[in-house]
């Protein structure tokens, strides 16, 4: 498409956020912007922000749905702190999102929605309209577009009803932003055709949406509301085939790939809970790979069924979020005692209790490490980005089967829902998972299920149906080797130590933690899980200012990588930023007697880069150096 | 390969059986070991699963595969085993506390799903392992350590609950009646779908004689009625009493006084409404029905349905698993970066 305006100015990166009522299709518009940016070759990161209410009353602040995308011509790691362009489809969206827009940023609003009813509905005082407020006008570039009216006008010739037409407002708005950022329309047109014409057999709907999209684009071109358009060119990327992937999608693909690589079937048992439900949605569509999904009556039944499946020789996996992990605790102890492989994925959300179900937090670390009766060690892993969820899901299966013990995979709402480009791996490049079952032995006098022949102390995984290996497992303490019930005090003490030692030995098969930046120096930022993007960006910014700051990011939390103690010693100070009140920092202090300084912010969102930079810099500049 | 000929000894383990002397669980264990050789499955294909309680020690004493799990969760674990391998023959053995207190939820759901397994409820109307508190089947007013003034709880009715949950084979038997147990247990194990067998079991330590009315020679002929498909409900030492249905409700009648055998209720094990009627017949007002109270055939099992879906999806898959998986990794929309 040609336009008569001057060449767009080049930007290295941009942050755009769409917001509106949860029925306004903001996730779809944002997702399309992300896909288009991806196909165009930008690096990107997204941050969908859902309301907790399913159908809040229209126009209220608690019904606001948002989708942020950060895209760039270089590597980026976060969806960005400050919004450069905000699209607000209604006053409620404006009200709840405007504070995140950078000073001087652009705000496109649907002015048709800023009626007195619309304004009071979201709690603005009577007779107040922020669009007329001088303080607002001076701080932001407010672009008032009658999106509702223009959408209706441009689709007036359609026979479809007003409702169908109004539903295209999101595409109109998207068209405007596409024009502003000089994005191609073709990917979205293709998407609309595929979704509506081909899949849902509703070509009229596809047509309507495409017309709205184009109308919005042409409006940008002709309305002359902007002197300047922007362009963010492609980021240099490694050659290959890429797709957009969210953390939950990556977990699904990771599990099914792991089962394939182990030559086993996957049983995934789960009870729906936000933000983990997408995992059972995804896996239940993969029956062609032998995946059995079990929607259990509760989280306890889910984990128990996964344990049963593991006993019978499947890859038993269960998934949940924090409150569900609490329910699974007792059964996890059983899996520890029976020494069966089991994977539990916990997509963390803000707690305690039901907390903020749609918001992110990383506060289940203590629960994963210690939240069971008795001495009950599990392996604990945490993916650090959406696409890393693929790698770590495979790792979880590998470690669970190799060490015959439960593995807890701590994802979080932010990486689960956020998306980024992912270079599609070649299945052949992924190492296979070597799973051994003892062979039938018709002449066996007695099979010893707790006889450990491996140097990693794993017991043999004999499965029902195998002649000669009949055996019983249970939650009662085991006599070493035979597995018979034993209350012998010395045996119990030895078995506790043995199970702990077994989990520790897993450290031998996990990669050492890498240090990004200088290998030794003044300050080490130590993080874990889904905060990677924020920490990496903050460290880059500090390093760009000449500060001696490095990053070590943990994806293996129990056991820790074997070089972690040495890494810590190479730095004068260590800060541990987390979205909790200081869980990893306490573990580090306890394990290494190291004065790890916590930085904690738990606001239901990813850590802000600006906040991190300020706090780390403040700690660096404060007083004496702790050796 | 032909099936080996098993004897009860083949199903015994070297573990010392540690129930109290005189516990009704012993009789059940002996009867189960005796019954298995008749079933036509290999020993390695049996899995005994239990929760926690005295009764739940059962798997340790069976030389098959077995899991002694956690309190109340045996059916959830068993469901997972069956999902992974529908070929396995699963028997869940647990107490009334295990299956109806802490595990009540799972009991309902396993039954309504019709998971192909057999549940043996060793009902002693008390918590044995935790030393004598009232259980969900204890009678209201029961005096125990945790209910010194009598339990205010009204009991759960296991048979009614099984009927309501859609269980496809429902039976009742008595620990000491080996022959009756054997017949019922073999039926239950052969049944495709969830079969539920309530066993009146004597806990001679904490609730001795609770079922004596149903198990002892002096009283059992009047206190129980053995139901057999197609046969009228006749009971009593002299077989002179029967059950008649009146407006849908059972009634005890004496044969002879204007009532003939032809007037009696004839047991139809395929009649779910009748099964519910049986669940309402309680001592001492009624003799309690013993036998296979309900049997429904033809209802698909959960594990069967799941595996049919897997089979159908596999049939439709294009290419080998590796090819399809590579395709899946690619997803719907990709872009390519050239160098
Ligand atoms: C989570 C949990 N809660 C409580 C217990 C304690 N407990 C063990 S067995 C049992 C009741 C057993 O009664 P029942 O199931 O009737 O079996 P019985 O011992 O009578 O055979 C209880 C309460 C436990 N083991 N686990
Ligand atoms: S306490 Fe009762 S149920 Fe338990 S073993 Fe003793 S007699 Fe049997």
């Amino acid at each position: 498409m040609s336009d008569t305006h001057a060449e767009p100015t080049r930007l290295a990166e941009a942050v755009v956020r769409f917001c509106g009522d949860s029925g306004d299709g903001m996730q779809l518009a944002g997702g399309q912007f992300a896909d288009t940016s991806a196909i165009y070759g930008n690096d990107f990161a997204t941050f969908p922000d859902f309301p907790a209410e399913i159908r809040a009353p229209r126009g209220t602040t608690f019904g606001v749905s948002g989708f942020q995308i950060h895209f760039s011509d270089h590597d980026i790691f976060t969806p960005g702190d400050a919004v450069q362009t905000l699209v607000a489809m209604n006053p409620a969206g404006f009200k709840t999102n405007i504070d995140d827009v950078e000073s001087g940023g652009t705000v496109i609003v649907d002015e048709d929605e800023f009626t007195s009813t619309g304004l009071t509905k979201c709690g603005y005082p009577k007779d107040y309209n922020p669009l007329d407020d001088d303080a607002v006008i001076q701080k932001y570039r407010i672009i008032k577009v009658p999106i509702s009216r223009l959408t209706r006008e441009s689709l007036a010739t359609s026979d479809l009803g007003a409702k169908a037409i109004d539903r295209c407002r999101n595409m109109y708005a998207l068209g405007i932003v596409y024009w502003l950022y000089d994005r191609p329309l073709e990917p979205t047109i293709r998407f609309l055709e595929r979704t509506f014409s081909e899949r849902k057999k509703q070509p009229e709907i596809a047509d309507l949406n495409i017309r709205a999209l184009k109308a919005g684009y042409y409006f940008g071109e002709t309305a002359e509301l902007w002197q300047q358009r922007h362009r963010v060119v492609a980021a240099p990327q490694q050659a290959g085939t890429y797709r957009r992937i969210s953390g939950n999608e990556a977990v699904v693909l990771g599990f099914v790939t792991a089962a394939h690589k182990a030559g086993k079937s996957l049983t995934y048992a789960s009870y729906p809970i936000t933000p983990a439900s997408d995992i059972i949605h995804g896996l239940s569509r993969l029956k062609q790979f032998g995946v059995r999904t079990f929607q259990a009556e509760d989280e306890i039944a889910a984990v128990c069924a996964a344990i049963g499946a593991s006993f019978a020789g499947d890859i038993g996996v269960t998934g949940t979020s924090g409150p569900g992990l609490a329910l699974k605790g007792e059964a996890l102890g059983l899996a520890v005692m029976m020494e069966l492989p089991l994977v539990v994925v916990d997509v963390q959300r803000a707690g305690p209790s039901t907390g903020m179900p749609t918001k992110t937090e990383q506060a289940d670390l203590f629960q994963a490490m210690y939240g069971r009766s008795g001495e009950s060690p599990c392996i604990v892993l945490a993916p650090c980005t959406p696409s890393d969820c693929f790698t770590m899901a495979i790792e979880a299966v590998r470690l669970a089967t190799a060490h015959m013990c439960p593995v807890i995979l701590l994802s979080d709402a932010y990486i689960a829902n956020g998306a980024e480009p992912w270079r599609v791996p070649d299945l052949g490049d992924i190492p296979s998972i070597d799973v051994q079952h003892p062979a039938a032995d018709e002449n066996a006098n007695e099979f010893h299920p707790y006889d450990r022949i491996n140097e990693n102390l794993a017991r043999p995984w004999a499965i029902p149906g195998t002649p000669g290996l009949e055996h019983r497992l249970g939650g009662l303490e085991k006599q070493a080797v035979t597995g018979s019930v034993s209350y012998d005090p010395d045996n119990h003490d030895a078995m506790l130590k043995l199970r702990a030692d077994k989990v520790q030995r897993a450290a031998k098969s996990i990669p050492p933690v890498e240090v990004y930046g200088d290998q030794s120096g003044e300050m080490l930022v130590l993080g874990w899980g889904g905060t990677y993007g924020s920490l990496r960006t903050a460290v880059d910014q500090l390093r760009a200012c000449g500060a001696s700051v490095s990053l070590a990011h943990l994806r293996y939390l129990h056991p820790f990588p074997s070089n972690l103690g040495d890494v810590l010693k190479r730095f004068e100070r260590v800060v541990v930023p987390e979205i909790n009140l200081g869980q990893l920092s306490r573990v580090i202090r306890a394990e290494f007697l190291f004065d790890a300084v916590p930085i904690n912010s738990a606001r239901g969102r990813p850590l802000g880069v600006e906040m991190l930079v300020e706090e780390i810099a403040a700690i660096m500049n404060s007083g004496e150096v702790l050796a | 390969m032909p099936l080996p000929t098993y004897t009860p000894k083949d199903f015994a383990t070297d573990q010392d059986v540690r129930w109290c002397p005189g516990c009704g669980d012993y009789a059940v264990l002996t009867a189960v070991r005796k019954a298995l050789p008749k079933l036509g499955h290999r020993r390695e294909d049996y899995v005994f699963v239990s929760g926690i309680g005295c009764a739940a020690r059962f798997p340790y004493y069976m030389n098959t595969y077995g899991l002694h799990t956690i309190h109340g969760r045996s059916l959830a674990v068993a469901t997972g085993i069956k999902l992974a391998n529908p070929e396995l023959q699963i028997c869940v053995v647990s107490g009334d506390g295990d299956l109806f207190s802490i595990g009540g939820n799972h009991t309902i759901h396993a039954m309504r799903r019709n998971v192909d397994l057999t549940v043996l409820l060793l009902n002693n109307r008390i918590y044995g392992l935790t030393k004598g508190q009232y259980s969900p089947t204890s009678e209201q007013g029961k005096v125990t350590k945790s209910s010194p003034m009598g339990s205010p709880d009204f009991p759960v009715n296991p048979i009614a609950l099984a009927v309501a949950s859609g269980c496809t084979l429902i039976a009742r038997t008595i620990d000491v009646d080996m022959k009756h147990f054997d017949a019922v247990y073999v039926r239950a194990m052969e049944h495709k779908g969830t079969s539920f067998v309530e066993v009146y079991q004597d806990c001679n330590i904490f609730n001795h004689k609770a079922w004596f009315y149903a198990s002892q020679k002096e009283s059992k002929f009047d206190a129980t009625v053995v139901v057999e498909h197609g046969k009228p409900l006749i009971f009593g030492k002299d077989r002179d009493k029967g059950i008649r249905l009146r407006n849908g409700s059972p009634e005890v009648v004496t044969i002879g006084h204007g009532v003939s055998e032809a007037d009696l209720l004839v047991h139809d094990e395929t009649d779910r409404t009748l099964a519910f009627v049986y669940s309402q017949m309680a001592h001492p007002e009624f003799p309690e029905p013993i036998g296979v109270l309900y049997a429904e055939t033809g209802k698909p099992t959960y594990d069967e349905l799941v595996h049919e879906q897997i089979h159908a999806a596999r049939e439709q898959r294009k290419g080998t698993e590796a090819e399809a998986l590579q395709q899946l990794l690619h997803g719907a929309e990709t872009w390519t970066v050239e160098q």
Side-chain angles (χ1 to χ4, degrees):
Chain A
M1 253 157 270
S2 70
D3 66 81
T4 50
H5 295 70
E7 242 328 82
T9 48
R10 194 173 150 180
L11 294 178
E13 57 189 308
V15 177
V16 174
R17 186 187 295 176
F18 296 86
C19 70
D21 194 81
S22 51
D24 282 342
M26 294 294 96
Q27 302 300 326
L28 183 83
Q32 277 308 301
F33 199 99
D35 275 354
T36 297
S37 304
I39 292 162
Y40 187 78
N42 300 121
D43 193 11
F44 69 90
T46 71
F47 179 43
D49 196 15
F50 310 102
E53 286 77 8
I54 305 298
R55 289 277 179 273
R58 257 198 93 78
T60 56
T61 49
F62 36 94
V64 173
S65 168
F67 190 103
Q68 180 164 319
I69 162 152
H70 182 190
F71 57 107
S72 64
D73 66 3
H74 54 279
D75 265 9
I76 48 160
F77 304 96
T78 76
D81 282 9
V83 174
Q84 188 182 59
T85 296
L86 176 74
V87 178
M89 300 300 283
N90 66 4
F94 182 91
K95 191 172 181 212
T96 43
N97 287 279
I98 189 68
D99 289 343
D100 294 335
V101 180
E102 65 187 24
S103 179
T106 300
V107 183
I108 302 168
V109 298
D110 181 355
E111 68 171 332
D112 293 335
E113 292 283 318
F114 283 68
T115 58
S116 57
T117 349
L119 288 161
T120 43
K121 222 176 188 176
C122 70
Y124 277 121
K126 205 171 158 346
D127 297 328
Y128 173 83
N129 186 342
L131 305 185
D132 301 332
D133 184 334
D134 273 347
V136 172
I137 296 168
Q138 263 151 43
K139 186 161 177 201
Y140 310 105
R141 249 180 82 66
I142 305 280
I143 313 273
K144 294 190 260 186
V145 185
I147 296 178
S148 299
R149 181 167 61 81
L150 293 175
T151 306
R152 281 177 208 144
E153 280 172 9
S154 53
L155 303 177
T157 54
S158 164
D159 297 337
L160 293 167
K163 233 179 169 167
I165 290 176
D166 279 351
R167 245 188 244 132
C168 299
R169 290 163 64 233
N170 63 338
M171 286 299 119
Y172 194 95
L174 181 64
I176 300 176
V177 187
Y178 274 170
W179 180 83
L180 180 62
Y181 284 97
D182 189 27
R183 311 259 93 180
L185 299 185
E186 286 70 27
T188 299
I189 293 173
R190 265 207 318 276
F191 163 82
L192 292 168
E193 278 169 350
R194 224 182 27 243
T195 310
F196 293 108
S197 309
E198 289 161 32
R199 240 192 31 232
K200 299 192 180 165
K201 306 280 174 239
Q202 296 172 315
E204 330 76 53
I205 302 281
D207 179 56
L208 214 59
N209 277 285
I210 292 166
R211 275 162 58 196
L213 179 76
K214 286 183 177 169
Y217 190 94
Y218 294 137
F219 172 82
E221 191 168 81
T222 50
E224 303 207 342
L225 292 170
W226 286 275
Q227 278 78 31
Q228 211 29 275
R229 304 168 71 185
H230 309 295
R231 178 177 292 159
V232 177
V233 303
Q237 280 169 316
Q238 207 186 339
T241 304
Y242 286 78
R243 64 174 287 188
R244 167 163 75 113
I245 199 159
S246 72
N248 274 345
E249 285 168 342
V251 164
V252 167
L253 297 182
F255 284 147
V256 67
T257 302
H260 173 79
K261 286 288 170 183
K264 306 243 83 193
S265 297
L266 182 81
T267 293
Y268 183 79
S270 169
Y271 187 74
I273 184 169
T274 303
S277 299
D278 279 338
I279 300 173
I280 190 166
H281 300 166
L283 284 167
S284 62
R285 272 188 256 118
L286 301 183
K287 297 193 167 66
Q288 66 274 31
F289 300 102
V291 174
R292 311 95 156 73
T293 48
F294 175 50
Q295 183 174 315
E297 56 271 25
D298 58 32
E299 281 83 353
I300 300 172
V303 63
C304 286
I307 289 173
S310 282
F311 175 62
D314 267 16
I315 304 289
V317 182
T318 183
T320 190
S321 187
L325 185 62
L327 284 175
K328 291 177 197 291
E330 189 195 6
L332 265 161
L334 178 70
V336 167
M337 193 56 123
M338 298 203 298
E339 303 190 44
L340 280 170
L342 172 76
V343 175
V344 185
V345 47
D346 171 17
V347 186
Q348 300 165 95
R349 67 188 209 182
S353 189
T354 316
M356 302 198 288
T358 59
K359 310 293 175 195
T360 203
E361 200 162 275
Q362 47 177 186
D364 292 346
L365 178 62
F366 281 172
Q367 189 183 197
M369 298 207 18
Y370 315 117
R372 286 169 295 284
S373 64
E375 293 284 347
S376 184
C378 293
I379 294 179
V380 182
L381 311 179
C384 66
T385 62
S387 60
D388 193 41
C389 290
F390 177 78
T391 312
M392 296 312 275
I394 298 174
E395 274 292 85
V397 172
R398 178 182 72 83
L399 290 165
T401 50
H403 301 278
M404 295 293 281
C405 75
V407 176
I408 301 176
L409 183 63
L410 290 175
S411 176
D412 64 51
Y414 166 59
I415 54 173
N417 291 324
E420 63 178 354
W422 179 50
R423 192 156 155 259
V424 179
D426 190 339
L427 203 54
D429 296 340
I430 298 170
S432 50
I433 296 174
D434 182 27
V435 175
Q436 305 279 355
H437 297 297
D441 185 356
E442 310 265 6
N443 305 318
N445 283 330
E446 205 186 344
F447 171 68
H448 289 156
Y450 286 79
D451 196 0
R452 293 156 213 279
I453 36 169
N454 284 318
E455 115 182 75
N456 66 12
L457 298 180
R459 66 168 197 88
W461 185 9
I463 54 176
T466 319
L469 307 185
E470 291 86 353
H471 66 281
R472 276 69 50 199
L473 304 176
L476 290 169
E477 182 57 284
K478 308 281 162 252
Q479 191 178 68
V481 184
T482 66
S484 297
V485 173
S486 166
Y487 294 156
D488 176 69
D490 292 337
N491 175 71
H492 177 58
D493 186 65
M495 287 300 282
L496 288 187
K497 287 169 180 159
L498 188 144
R499 286 186 291 262
D501 186 17
K502 181 181 79 164
V503 169
Q504 276 308 320
R505 287 193 193 197
K508 285 188 189 155
S509 74
I510 68 177
V513 63
E514 285 172 25
V515 176
Y516 170 74
D518 308 322
Q519 296 305 297
S520 62
E522 213 175 305
M523 171 70 87
L524 179 73
V525 177
L526 181 67
W528 67 278
T531 51
Y532 173 74
S534 304
L535 302 187
R536 169 71 191 261
T537 310
V539 166
D540 277 338
Q541 287 185 13
L542 285 158
R543 292 182 63 78
C545 304
S548 163
V549 182
S550 304
L551 172 67
H553 201 81
L554 295 170
R555 297 147 78 222
Y556 297 83
L557 294 157
H558 191 243
F560 283 129
S562 35
N563 66 334
L564 182 59
D566 294 337
V567 166
L568 296 175
K569 279 188 222 136
R570 299 207 298 260
F571 292 86
E572 289 163 23
R573 287 184 174 196
V574 175
V575 289
V576 184
E578 291 175 90
I579 311 179
N580 59 37
L581 298 186
Q583 300 196 3
L584 177 66
S585 60
R586 279 186 234 189
V587 179
I588 294 289
R589 283 168 172 240
E591 288 267 313
F592 299 102
L593 298 178
F594 199 93
D595 184 24
V597 183
I599 296 180
N600 305 108
S601 160
R603 301 167 56 249
R605 356 183 79 237
L607 291 176
V609 173
E610 210 180 293
M611 175 285 279
L612 283 171
V613 168
E614 275 169 22
E615 294 219 15
I616 296 168
I619 292 167
M620 292 186 83
N621 298 331
S622 71
E624 87 273 34
V625 163
L626 307 161
Chain B
M1 260 197 297
L3 191 73
T5 349
Y6 296 116
T7 66
K9 260 179 69 189
D10 290 312
F11 292 99
T13 60
D14 61 353
Q15 303 287 303
D16 296 332
V17 183
R18 298 230 190 115
W19 288 311
C20 307
C23 176
D25 291 347
Y26 282 100
V28 177
L29 178 63
T30 309
V32 167
R33 285 178 182 166
K34 268 195 182 145
L36 291 189
K38 302 175 189 169
L39 287 175
H41 298 285
R42 301 181 155 270
R43 187 171 65 184
E44 60 269 22
D45 290 335
Y46 288 108
V47 185
F48 278 78
V49 188
S50 66
I52 299 292
C54 294
R57 297 290 173 95
F58 207 96
Y60 289 124
Y61 310 138
M62 293 298 300
N63 189 9
T64 62
Y65 283 93
L67 284 183
H68 176 229
T69 67
I70 46 178
H71 197 31
R73 315 304 171 191
S74 53
L75 280 167
V77 175
T79 302
I81 298 174
K82 198 72 189 175
L83 263 180
N85 185 354
E87 306 297 316
L88 297 171
Q89 303 297 313
I90 300 185
C91 180
V92 172
V93 188
S94 268
D96 44 308
D98 202 57
L99 288 170
F100 288 98
S101 279
I102 191 165
N105 195 27
H106 310 305
T107 303
I108 294 169
H109 291 283
M111 287 178 173
R112 60 115 177 153
R113 289 188 184 109
N114 200 30
V115 183
D116 182 22
L117 46 78
T118 296
V119 186
L120 267 193
L121 160 65
L122 301 194
N123 188 359
N124 51 21
R125 305 192 86 175
I126 202 83
Y127 285 0
L129 193 75
T130 46
K131 301 203 166 87
Q133 302 84 2
Y134 61 98
S135 86
T137 52
S138 294
E139 59 277 21
Q140 199 254 339
K142 175 102 182 157
V143 175
T144 72
K145 272 187 228 162
S146 59
S147 55
M149 296 175 72
S151 154
D153 291 24
F154 296 99
V156 69
N157 180 332
I159 301 289
L161 192 130
V163 173
S165 303
C167 188
T168 50
L169 186 136
I170 303 169
R172 183 190 274 150
T173 186
I174 298 170
D175 54 3
V176 289
D177 193 344
M178 291 275 227
K179 238 177 99 187
H180 190 262
F181 179 95
D182 185 82
V184 163
Y185 185 70
V186 169
R187 266 296 293 282
M189 285 297 282
E190 283 174 343
H191 175 72
K192 215 160 95 42
T194 308
S195 40
F196 172 67
V197 182
E198 179 182 24
V199 187
Y200 285 175
Q201 174 243 329
D202 188 45
C203 169
N204 65 322
I205 301 297
F206 298 110
N207 206 16
H208 193 34
K209 303 186 178 177
W211 303 114
F212 268 27
Y213 68 87
S215 64
Q216 302 303 300
K217 257 212 208 86
E218 316 78 67
S219 51
K220 73 175 186 185
F221 297 108
D222 284 327
T224 62
V225 51
V226 179
V227 299
E228 282 178 81
H229 185 62
K231 296 201 176 150
L233 268 67
I234 299 176
F235 67 103
K237 204 163 209 134
D238 304 323
R239 298 195 59 77
D240 60 343
K241 286 186 271 188
I243 300 292
R244 181 168 73 177
L245 265 197
R246 256 201 148 180
N247 301 326
S249 296
E251 186 187 33
V252 177
V253 290
T254 307
I255 304 169
H257 304 270
V259 180
S260 77
E261 253 191 62
D263 298 323
L264 298 183
L265 168 63
V266 175
H267 179 42
D268 177 359
E269 64 180 26
T270 65
D271 185 341
R272 184 172 282 275
T273 311
L274 206 51
F276 185 73
V277 169
Y278 293 153
S279 76
Q280 301 306 305
M281 288 169 61
H283 182 74
E285 201 193 335
F286 290 101
E288 296 186 347
I290 305 290
V292 175
L293 309 182
Y294 179 69
E296 177 183 347
T297 49
K299 185 172 172 179
T301 68
Y302 179 73
D303 29 301
E304 203 170 65
L305 292 171
V306 168
H307 282 269
E308 270 170 20
Q309 289 190 352
I310 290 173
H311 182 74
R314 275 205 165 121
E315 294 275 283
Q316 280 167 22
R317 192 187 69 206
K318 293 192 182 70
T320 64
E321 182 173 292
E323 286 161 356
L325 184 54
Q326 184 67 63
Q327 196 60 41
L328 180 75
L329 296 183
H330 270 84
E333 186 83 62
T334 56
W335 67 93
T336 307
V337 174
E338 322 267 358
Q339 212 73 95

